[in-house]
Amino acid sequence: MQRRSLLHAAAALLGTVSLASPLSGLTQTRPLVEVWKTPTCGCCHDWVTHMEANGFQVKTYDISDAAKAAQRRQLGLADKFGSCHTALVDGYVLEGHVPAREVRRLLKERPKALGLAVPGMPIGSPGMDGPAYAGRKDPYGVMLVQRGGGSSVYQSY
C-alpha cells in the first residue's frame, strides 16, 4: 500500500512538472513589431518575413507613401533617415531594413535613443537580399538615432 501511494505521489509530481513547462512558455511573448508600409512593397514584405523568422511578432499597416512619411515624422524620426517602411518595437522606432540581430541588441541594451535606422535601401540588408540581387551585398550602417536628431553608427555591415 505504501509503495502504491509513493507511486501515485511521484506520478502527480511529474504531471505537475510537465504541465508547468508548457505554461511557462506562454509567459514568454515574442516582441511585437508594428510596421507601416505601402501594400505593394515587396522588400518590406521580405523584411517582415525576416523579423518573423527571427522570433518577432509582426503587425503590418498598409498605408500610402504620404501617410507613411507622416507616421515617421509623428514618431520623431527625421526624413534623412527615411526608407521604405517605419516600425515601432517596445517604444523604439525602426526605420528601413534593420537586421533582427540589431533589434535584439537594442532591446537588450536599452540605450537612451529614439531607435535604429538603415537609411535608403542598401542591397544585402534583410529584405533587400533576395535572389534578384544575385548575392550582392553593399556595405551599410545601422544608425542609432537620438531623440534630438543626432546619430552614430550602431553596427556596420
Side-chain angles (χ1 to χ4, degrees):
M1 183 74 166
Q2 214 171 15
R3 182 177 171 166
R4 179 178 278 173
S5 295
L6 183 60
L7 288 174
H8 284 302
L13 181 60
L14 285 174
T16 303
V17 170
S18 66
L19 284 176
S21 296
L23 292 177
S24 65
L26 291 177
T27 60
Q28 296 176 352
T29 59
R30 299 181 311 157
L32 174 63
V33 179
E34 294 180 275
V35 182
W36 291 268
K37 64 178 196 60
T38 58
T40 57
C41 186
C43 65
C44 292
H45 177 268
D46 292 347
W47 184 77
V48 166
T49 300
H50 164 77
M51 295 301 286
E52 290 172 334
N54 282 278
F56 290 90
Q57 177 184 356
V58 181
K59 181 175 183 179
T60 60
Y61 304 96
D62 288 336
I63 58 176
S64 69
D65 276 327
K68 186 177 50 158
Q71 178 66 24
R72 181 185 312 125
R73 280 187 229 104
Q74 182 181 355
L75 292 171
L77 191 68
D79 288 340
K80 69 181 180 180
F81 297 109
S83 186
C84 60
H85 56 267
T86 301
L88 192 62
V89 61
D90 203 18
Y92 288 106
V93 176
L94 304 175
E95 181 68 24
H97 296 270
V98 178
R101 179 176 112 183
E102 303 316 322
V103 177
R104 287 204 178 290
R105 178 179 160 205
L106 177 78
L107 295 176
K108 181 180 178 184
E109 294 177 356
R110 310 279 319 160
K112 288 187 179 186
L114 181 63
L116 299 176
V118 174
M121 298 168 60
I123 295 174
S125 61
M128 294 292 295
D129 55 354
Y133 303 104
R136 182 175 145 198
K137 292 185 181 201
D138 293 345
Y140 67 95
V142 176
M143 306 306 294
L144 180 67
V145 181
Q146 301 301 322
R147 294 199 181 278
S151 65
S152 58
V153 176
Y154 193 63
Q155 183 65 50
S156 295
Y157 284 87

